[in-house]
Amino acid sequence: MSAHRVLTATSPLRDIEARHPALQGAKSPMQTIGMKSPSSDSDKRSGQDPGRDLVPLLTGMAVAVAGVGAVLALADADSSLRGPFTLFFLLAAPGAAIGVALRGLDPFARAVVSVAGAIAVDLLVAQGMLAVHRWSVPGGIVAVTAISSLVLLLMAVRRLRKRMGKIRSSR
């Protein structure tokens, strides 16, 4: 019975225990580990944002699907994926090129203008090929690829010139 009494007996708090901050609701040091909010610099560099890793993945997947669509159309492959993948290429290639050219717009406006521009490029290529009686699916794919590549090349040259101008002016 004495052992039971020792375990259940309520002993008065010692002086140090009575002044412990946890009795007033404070957290112990072990409870505060990992609760610090990260600084803005460390959050930007750590890559902890899951959406940040998703954008390159989706971009890579879009490039792969568009490339497969172009190859299927150029090879005249008999596949059920040929139509949707080729349509995706015909919208994505000029849309991406136009989107790169419109970096100054907010993302929603850039997406809307890019899709509208891609449709306009596709229609102009088709109309031009029909006007000269040279319509063909592979020819349309090559023409859209050439126009999109030209826009991307012009944007790369423009950025390079701008960067070189900044380097020259800082000397």
Side-chain angles (χ1 to χ4, degrees), residues 1 8 10 19 37 75 81 88 90 94-95 105 111 114 116 134 147:
M1 188 88 77
T8 59
T10 56
R19 293 180 298 162
S37 62
L81 296 176
F88 183 77
L90 289 172
L105 293 178
S114 296
R134 298 287 181 205
I147 291 170

Side-chain angles (χ1 to χ4, degrees), residues 3 96 135:
W135 169 251

Side-chain angles (χ1 to χ4, degrees), residues 2 7 42 47 52 58 63 72 87 113 126-127 129-130 136 139 143 160 163:
S2 65
L7 291 176
S42 66
R52 183 179 299 177
L58 291 176
V63 168
L72 287 174
L87 179 62
V113 172
Q127 185 176 1
M129 291 178 75
L130 286 172
S136 70
L160 183 63
R163 195 173 296 155

